[in-house]
Amino acid sequence: MSEKVKELKVSAIQNGTVIDHIPANALFQVIRILKLERFENMILFATNLESKKYGKKGIIKVSNKFFKPEEVNRIALVAPHATMIEIRDFQVVKKIIVEIPDKINGIVKCFNPNCITNHEQIIQKFTVTDKEDLRIKCHYCEKITVKNNMSFL
Amino acid sequence: MKNKSLISINDYSKEDQLKILEVAEEFEKKPVQNILQDHVIASLFFEPSTRTRLSFESAANRLGGKIVGFSEASNTSVKKGESLRDSILTVANYSDLIIMRNPLEGSARFASEISPVPIINAGDGSNQHPTQTLLDLYSIKKTQNKLENLHVAFIGDLKYGRTVHSLVIALCNFNTTFHLVSPQELKLPSSVKMFIKEKNLEYNQYVDIEDVTEKADVLYMTRIQKERFSDPLEYERIKDFYVLRKNMIENTKENLTIMHPLPRVNEIEIEVDKSPKAYYFQQALNGVYVRQALISLILGLK
Ligand SMILES: [Zn+2]
């Protein structure tokens, strides 16, 4: 299947952002992390599309919205291979591959049940200590949360 | 250091730490100094720890300060469901400095972020207990006359003991050679070893105490806790293996210091107490001087 035909599975947008290569099971997390539930412009999304590289993937198209790099990187934890494509006048003007950021605020829950952040209303904060294996250190309890223990807010 | 909370030992630079030890020395020479008369210190112990609380309160008393607070959470508004945030903001209205112990990890860091007055962490769950580390450094400096270039052996539970972790991290500033003795299942975690490696310091791991007794300037003993083992028989075997006995210290260095954060169960034979190398009871006493120094430096009185 050519790139063009794939694109047609979800209608094209004139101006906005296409977020591609989202693992199918992470689509709704990405919507939540980017706070798209409260967004009022047109949003198109599709999931369980066939992808040669990643099995089943999801795609989101947001009309008239462009993301800052730090916003883009917030989704790296759930969609490490995602790409953000900026569309202006039906043309691709920029393609960004997401990158795992050095600090993560308010996305992941600390795995430690004895951590203060799981008992008080506190924005969870982490420093990424290992980008390859994805290990993050809690700013408060200083414990490491590993990929398999991550749950998202 | 003025107005700077102490949550983890790394919050203070090496210079700050040395300054505290220096001022602590002054307090050891002259323990009663009425410099805190106009100040109120809050001592909030959300879980009981008599030893630590008495040491802090004795430090504040010797400085002439007034203490408000509680020694356990059961009689307070905390029991009625008040958040830590509200407790701290309320208490901060009545005090110049808050000393806090809380069973939740990260509670002290959180408190320091919302409190208008500085916080001293007196233990946050299994995470940090920085004043213990300062008193350990003080004890080492006092008995060895220096902190640089020492051979320090840690023995017992190196995996779960926060005291060991913080002291290892602090000693990484002083070109220490580490000798780590523990059963296989209680080795020092890699997150702590990382600090040793970053500084390119030498460390060796052993299973037998006797492999290190003759090399060490400091032997730091720890308690092995039963709840760390799923197999009770395994605990019994290991517990009796990591005991410092009198005959083991016969050929040790002249300057050896034997330390233990206390309370002890059986990991140091009572017979060892008589040796001039045994230092664990004085070690605890040094906590008062170090805490006096810390309180007065944070309040800008030294
Ligand atoms: Zn945490």
Side-chain angles (χ1 to χ4, degrees), chain B residues 229-242:
Chain B
F229 291 86
S230 46
D231 179 357
L233 291 175
E234 188 63 7
Y235 165 71
E236 290 302 326
R237 183 185 71 79
I238 282 175
K239 177 189 74 168
D240 293 330
F241 191 65
Y242 290 92

Side-chain angles (χ1 to χ4, degrees), chain B residues 27-295:
Chain B
F27 280 114
E28 182 167 6
K29 287 186 194 118
K30 192 166 178 272
V32 179
Q33 297 186 29
N34 258 338
I35 54 176
L36 217 65
Q37 275 161 332
D38 302 327
H39 292 81
V40 178
I41 307 287
S43 160
L44 309 185
F45 277 64
F46 292 86
E47 66 173 351
S49 169
T50 311
R51 202 179 285 276
T52 305
R53 186 172 56 83
L54 290 182
S55 177
F56 269 111
E57 295 188 356
S58 154
N61 276 322
R62 287 178 184 191
L63 295 169
K66 287 166 202 66
I67 300 162
V68 296
F70 47 85
S71 56
E72 51 174 330
S74 64
N75 271 331
T76 63
S77 45
V78 178
K79 192 78 183 186
K80 297 174 195 142
E82 186 180 54
S83 68
L84 179 61
R85 183 191 303 270
D86 290 359
S87 305
I88 293 293
L89 291 176
T90 306
V91 171
N93 285 333
Y94 307 118
S95 56
D96 303 295
L97 170 73
I98 297 174
I99 295 158
M100 180 175 95
R101 186 180 184 99
N102 189 296
L104 294 175
E105 285 117 36
S107 52
R109 177 74 61 202
F110 172 61
S112 74
E113 289 175 351
I114 55 164
S115 170
V117 302
I119 306 276
I120 298 178
N121 182 8
D124 61 325
S126 69
N127 187 34
Q128 300 282 341
H129 189 15
T131 54
Q132 174 73 43
T133 311
L134 289 170
L135 82 87
D136 287 342
L137 288 177
Y138 185 80
S139 302
I140 294 173
K141 183 167 177 253
K142 195 177 156 196
T143 52
Q144 300 293 324
N145 294 314
K146 62 173 186 176
L147 282 167
E148 305 280 343
N149 310 321
L150 292 169
H151 283 253
V152 181
F154 289 90
I155 296 159
D157 177 0
L158 309 189
K159 185 172 180 185
Y160 297 101
R162 65 177 174 194
T163 309
V164 170
H165 301 169
S166 306
L167 184 55
V168 167
I169 292 168
L171 284 172
C172 285
N173 285 328
F174 299 99
N175 197 34
T176 306
T177 304
F178 295 95
H179 302 280
L180 310 170
V181 189
S182 71
Q184 202 56 36
E185 46 276 73
L186 296 176
K187 281 163 79 174
L188 195 73
S190 56
S191 56
V192 182
K193 272 183 208 147
M194 204 177 70
F195 288 90
I196 305 179
K197 288 176 188 165
E198 258 171 28
K199 291 276 169 84
N200 277 319
L201 299 176
E202 197 187 324
Y203 73 96
N204 293 294
Q205 304 187 85
Y206 314 80
V207 174
D208 260 299
I209 298 184
E210 278 162 299
D211 288 338
V212 304
T213 41
E214 290 174 29
K215 295 181 187 140
D217 298 305
V218 176
L219 279 181
Y220 200 100
M221 300 296 300
T222 63
R223 186 169 73 246
I224 294 182
Q225 285 165 295
K226 198 173 190 167
E227 54 269 30
R228 305 300 181 207
F229 291 86
S230 46
D231 179 357
L233 291 175
E234 188 63 7
Y235 165 71
E236 290 302 326
R237 183 185 71 79
I238 282 175
K239 177 189 74 168
D240 293 330
F241 191 65
Y242 290 92
V243 174
L244 187 67
R245 302 183 195 282
K246 190 164 170 271
N247 64 314
M248 291 179 181
I249 62 169
E250 270 161 20
N251 294 317
T252 53
K253 286 186 184 172
E254 203 54 47
N255 63 310
L256 175 72
T257 309
I258 303 167
M259 296 172 64
H260 189 299
L262 302 180
R264 144 177 79 175
V265 182
N266 74 328
E267 46 298 318
I268 303 176
E269 232 180 33
I270 306 288
E271 282 296 296
V272 176
D273 296 1
K274 290 178 202 144
S275 160
K277 295 171 182 175
Y279 193 71
Y280 22 97
F281 294 111
Q282 289 99 307
Q283 182 188 345
L285 178 64
N286 290 336
V288 178
Y289 311 130
V290 167
R291 289 173 177 123
Q292 281 183 288
L294 183 63
I295 292 170

Side-chain angles (χ1 to χ4, degrees), chain A residues 1-150:
Chain A
M1 216 171 12
S2 76
E3 257 326 297
K4 198 152 200 180
V5 177
K6 263 200 263 175
E7 280 297 311
L8 288 174
K9 284 197 166 173
V10 181
S11 321
I13 50 171
Q14 187 172 3
N15 287 298
T17 308
V18 175
I19 308 159
D20 199 359
H21 301 299
I22 302 165
N25 58 11
L27 181 82
F28 291 99
Q29 279 172 329
V30 170
I31 290 173
R32 200 148 21 104
I33 291 171
L34 293 175
K35 299 195 173 78
L36 294 177
E37 313 112 304
R38 274 176 247 145
F39 194 66
E40 293 189 347
N41 296 352
M42 180 181 75
I43 302 173
L44 301 164
F45 61 86
T47 189
N48 295 331
L49 306 173
E50 295 300 329
S51 156
K52 271 201 192 110
K53 267 195 203 159
Y54 308 110
K56 295 210 184 258
K57 70 165 187 177
I59 187 166
I60 303 172
K61 301 190 178 194
V62 192
S63 190
N64 293 315
K65 167 82 185 168
F66 302 97
F67 296 93
K68 295 189 206 87
E70 59 269 27
E71 287 178 283
V72 173
N73 290 340
R74 284 164 62 90
I75 70 167
L77 293 179
V78 293
H81 304 289
T83 45
M84 286 255 186
I85 302 153
E86 242 182 74
I87 312 272
R88 291 191 197 258
D89 214 6
F90 296 108
Q91 300 294 312
V92 172
V93 293
K94 205 181 347 154
K95 201 166 182 175
I96 318 167
I97 296 166
V98 304
E99 235 176 89
I100 293 177
D102 299 327
K103 304 255 181 215
I104 296 165
N105 294 346
I107 303 172
V108 187
K109 195 167 139 20
C110 181
F111 88 105
N112 172 13
N114 210 29
C115 176
I116 187 72
T117 58
N118 291 316
H119 296 260
E120 294 259 331
Q121 283 187 9
I122 303 176
I123 295 172
Q124 310 239 3
K125 290 190 230 169
F126 298 89
T127 305
V128 178
T129 56
D130 188 335
K131 291 190 182 182
E132 296 279 300
D133 292 334
L134 204 51
R135 294 162 65 87
I136 59 176
K137 184 177 179 182
C138 176
H139 167 75
Y140 292 97
C141 74
E142 305 183 27
K143 302 265 184 294
I144 306 266
T145 299
V146 297
K147 198 175 181 183
N148 293 341
N149 288 335
M150 276 179 205

